[in-house]
């Protein structure tokens, strides 16, 4: 099942890359997936090495302990949330609208909905093993924090990508700026995850305030 999942993600990535090139531009597509790939790898490496909130199943392809598909997975998720939110707003282009803030709640909710389905599948078929103690679990033994985790990731990455895209016109300037912001993006995501987890633990009684 893990190998099949890896092949499905790689195939779906190809379809999404084709769609992005068709709907937008080659430069957008390359920049979006390079930035997202570096973000995905950095995020997963930090999460598994330092937070230990979860561990992986026996994936076929790994890079420094991180399954290679996570270089594609988070980018694919952000792209799907982006395009679906644009469709909800009747085709308005996220990179062009000003202000873009009304996009973010929709992106967040779409990512949360995808998280519930994807994480349940991952838990059921041993793609991921959660080390989180929680009284509130979603379908497939998925901790309640997971949808929030997906939503925060998509909103933070898309907001930074948009600002860099609009402020710079040269491809290499955009690329280096985006890569330079990756550590900040990852730290903001992880910080938000722990704050949300703390709130959930207090609410469910796992952690008590004295």
């Amino acid at each position: 099942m893990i190998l099949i999942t890896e092949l499905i993600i790689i195939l779906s990535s190809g379809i999404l890359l084709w769609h992005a090139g068709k709907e937008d531009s080659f430069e957008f597509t390359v920049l979006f997936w390079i930035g997202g790939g570096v973000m995905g790898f950095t995020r997963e490496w930090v999460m598994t090495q330092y937070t230990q909130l979860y561990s992986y199943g026996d994936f076929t392809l790994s890079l420094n302990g991180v399954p290679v598909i996570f270089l594609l997975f988070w980018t694919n998720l952000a792209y799907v949330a982006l395009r679906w939110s644009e469709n909800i707003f009747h085709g308005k282009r996220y990179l062009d609208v000003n202000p873009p803030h009304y996009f973010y709640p929709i992106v967040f909710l779409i990512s949360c909905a995808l998280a519930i389905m994807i994480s349940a599948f991952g838990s059921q078929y041993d793609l991921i093993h959660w080390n989180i103690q929680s009284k509130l679990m979603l379908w497939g033994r998925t901790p309640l924090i997971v949808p929030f985790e997906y939503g925060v990731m998509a909103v933070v990455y898309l907001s930074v990508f948009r600002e860099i895209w609009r402020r710079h016109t040269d491809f290499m300037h955009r690329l280096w700026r985006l890569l330079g912001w990756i550590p900040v993006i990852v730290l903001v995501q992880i910080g938000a995850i722990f704050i949300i987890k703390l709130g959930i633990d207090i609410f469910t009684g796992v952690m008590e305030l004295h």
Side-chain angles (χ1 to χ4, degrees), residues 97-192:
V97 297
N98 193 28
H101 304 107
Y102 58 87
F103 269 88
Y104 297 135
I106 303 301
V107 167
F108 185 87
L109 291 174
I110 291 172
S111 301
C112 288
L114 292 171
I116 293 172
M117 296 182 289
I118 294 171
S119 295
F121 176 84
S123 298
Q124 291 284 355
Y125 290 98
D126 294 326
L127 275 67
I128 191 167
H129 308 286
W130 294 99
N131 304 319
I132 299 176
Q133 299 295 325
S134 177
K135 294 181 180 180
L136 293 178
M137 304 293 281
L138 301 174
W139 179 38
R141 306 189 309 277
T142 301
L144 181 61
I145 191 177
V146 175
F148 296 98
E149 179 184 359
Y150 278 53
V152 168
M153 181 284 306
V155 169
V156 173
Y157 180 65
L158 289 175
S159 62
V160 172
F161 184 89
R162 179 183 185 276
E163 290 305 310
I164 292 173
W165 182 269
R166 288 171 62 90
R167 288 176 181 269
H168 304 278
T169 56
D170 180 73
F171 174 78
M172 293 307 299
H173 285 172
R174 285 171 168 171
L175 177 60
W176 291 120
R177 289 280 183 176
L178 183 59
L179 294 179
W181 272 91
I182 293 300
V184 178
I185 294 172
V186 172
L187 286 175
V188 169
Q189 291 179 21
I190 294 175

Side-chain angles (χ1 to χ4, degrees), residues 17 20-22 24-35 93 95 161 164-166 168-175 178:
L17 283 163
K22 179 174 176 290
D24 214 296
S25 66
F26 178 77
E27 181 176 330
F28 167 86
T29 305
V30 173
L31 190 67
F32 195 87
W33 261 268
I34 289 179
R93 190 168 182 261
L95 295 176
F161 184 89
I164 292 173
W165 182 269
R166 288 171 62 90
H168 304 278
T169 56
D170 180 73
F171 174 78
M172 293 307 299
H173 285 172
R174 285 171 168 171
L175 177 60
L178 183 59

